[in-house]
Amino acid sequence: MNEKKPQPIQRDWLSKTLAGLLLGGVLALVLSSLFAQLNGDLPFSARRQLANWMVPPTWLGVLGTVYFFSSGLRAWLWLGGWAALLTAVSYLLRLT
């Protein structure tokens, strides 16, 4: 009888959580900014409210899915890469 032992809890849950909290917040704000920039035809008050209300679900969505990464380093690299890319896109859209 050769039973496999269950996998131990990974020790990098703290780094995944921090990546989700910090970079997830950045992603949520940048995506909200992109939404507001790309929907200029909406009235300002509606656009502002929609942009504000999409931040918490986006942030919590990233925070909830960050544990699917195989390591904390991968979470930081992927989320950091997406945050940098979307921030650059948002900045370039402001220039035009």
Side-chain angles (χ1 to χ4, degrees):
M1 292 175 64
N2 190 6
E3 293 183 29
K4 289 186 177 181
K5 293 176 91 174
Q7 291 286 337
I9 296 175
Q10 293 185 359
R11 297 185 189 276
D12 58 352
W13 65 269
L14 182 62
S15 63
K16 290 179 185 180
T17 303
L18 288 174
L21 283 173
L22 299 175
L23 294 176
V26 171
L27 280 171
L29 291 173
V30 169
L31 287 173
S32 172
S33 170
L34 283 172
F35 173 81
Q37 289 175 7
L38 295 175
N39 289 303
D41 55 338
L42 288 174
F44 178 71
S45 61
R47 186 175 63 222
R48 182 181 63 192
Q49 281 297 318
L50 287 171
N52 283 336
W53 279 101
M54 70 183 290
V55 171
T58 306
W59 195 350
L60 290 174
V62 171
L63 183 59
T65 57
V66 76
Y67 300 104
F68 289 113
F69 287 105
S70 61
S71 69
L73 178 62
R74 283 183 186 250
W76 278 97
L77 291 176
W78 275 100
L79 294 177
W82 276 106
L85 176 71
L86 292 175
T87 302
V89 168
S90 177
Y91 179 74
L92 290 174
L93 284 175
R94 286 184 195 202
L95 293 178
T96 59

